[in-house]
């Protein structure tokens, strides 16, 4: 999933490439879909004029999704294939339990262990709200901001997951590294430029 997202960042100037990369990443790991509003509206925030890029992004996403999911049509029973796909992806993820998650402590029903499910729901709504807000703000985004916001949304998504494992770090790490290292390089270069002027 992160490899597809990295290719989308690499080809960020093309809404077709971003849409295709996000579709491939999203159907590999559903969590990648959290960045869809941000990626659909890059480099400019959503506004009534200039909907061409978001439309091309959505078309690329849909075409790639249909191509990726067309493998379901190879099964003798399309209905059974769709049912199996639903159960093994969405249903399994939504009903997954984890003894290592503070969000899932409620399964133990032990005295003194708080049920944090309501807090998790509030944080999920907050992360989804931020994902939608990323389509509108900031008004203009640089490639560095796209990487940083992608990493931030993926971290936010992972923080509210019931089932989390340390291997999920690879989802957000490349974008955090790009944002931190490229941002630091930009600051150093700005200081050098300022020193040369004075």
């Amino acid at each position: 999933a992160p490899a597809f997202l990295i290719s989308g960042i690499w080809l960020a100037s093309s809404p077709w490439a971003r849409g295709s990369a996000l579709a491939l990443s999203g159907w590999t790991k559903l969590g990648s879909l959290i960045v869809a509003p941000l990626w659909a509206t890059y480099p400019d925030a959503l506004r009534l004029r200039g909907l061409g890029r978001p439309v091309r992004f959505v078309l690329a996403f849909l075409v790639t999704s249909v191509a990726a999911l067309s493998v379901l049509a190879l099964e003798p029973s399309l209905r059974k294939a769709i049912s199996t796909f639903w159960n093994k992806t969405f249903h399994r993820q939504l009903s997954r339990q984890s003894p290592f998650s503070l969000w899932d402590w409620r399964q133990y029903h032990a005295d003194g262990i708080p049920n944090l499910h309501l807090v998790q729901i509030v944080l999920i709504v907050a992360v989804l709200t931020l994902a939608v807000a990323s389509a509108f703000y900031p008004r203009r985004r640089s490639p560095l901001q796209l990487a940083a916001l992608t990493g931030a949304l993926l971290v936010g998504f992972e923080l509210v997951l019931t089932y989390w494992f340390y291997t999920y770090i690879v989802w957000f790490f490349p974008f955090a590294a790009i944002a931190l290292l490229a941002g630091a390089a930009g600051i150093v270069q700005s200081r050098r430029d300022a020193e040369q002027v004075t």
Side-chain angles (χ1 to χ4, degrees):
F4 289 124
L5 287 180
I6 290 167
S7 69
I9 290 282
W10 180 52
L11 301 168
S13 62
S14 167
W16 298 103
R18 283 192 324 273
S20 295
L22 183 61
L24 292 172
S25 181
W27 295 119
T28 302
K29 272 298 205 183
L30 299 172
S32 301
L33 298 176
I34 194 75
V35 301
L38 170 67
W39 280 35
T41 57
Y42 175 81
D44 298 309
L46 191 61
R47 58 186 199 276
L48 293 178
R49 293 190 322 268
L51 288 178
R53 282 190 182 121
V55 168
R56 290 192 298 267
F57 173 89
V58 170
L59 285 174
F61 182 89
L62 292 175
V63 168
T64 305
S65 294
V66 168
L69 298 174
S70 66
V71 70
L72 297 175
L74 299 176
E75 287 291 320
S77 169
L78 182 59
R79 174 181 269 174
K80 185 176 179 188
I82 291 171
S83 174
T84 301
F85 174 75
W86 174 265
N87 289 329
K88 298 288 184 182
T89 55
F90 292 101
H91 183 267
R92 181 168 183 254
Q93 294 300 321
L94 293 173
S95 62
R96 201 167 191 183
Q97 293 184 339
S98 173
F100 310 113
S101 172
L102 68 125
W103 307 121
D104 208 22
W105 284 347
R106 69 185 180 281
Q107 67 179 310
Y108 298 110
H109 304 290
D111 291 336
I113 296 179
N115 183 349
L116 298 174
H117 188 62
L118 184 60
V119 176
Q120 182 187 24
I121 298 290
V122 169
L123 291 174
I124 288 171
V125 170
V127 169
L128 292 174
T129 302
L130 289 172
V132 171
S134 72
F136 301 97
Y137 184 82
R139 301 302 277 166
R140 182 106 176 120
R141 301 175 200 104
S142 68
L144 183 59
Q145 287 173 314
L146 179 66
L149 291 169
T150 297
L153 287 172
L154 290 171
V155 167
F157 177 80
E158 288 185 24
L159 287 174
V160 298
L161 285 176
T162 298
Y163 183 86
W164 191 88
F165 202 60
Y166 69 89
T167 58
Y168 291 3
I169 292 171
V170 298
W171 291 9
F172 67 81
F173 180 78
F175 308 103
I178 291 169
L180 291 171
L181 297 176
I187 291 170
V188 170
Q189 185 62 42
S190 296
R191 286 182 182 163
R192 286 182 185 157
D193 293 344
E195 288 171 2
Q196 288 178 356
V197 170
T198 57

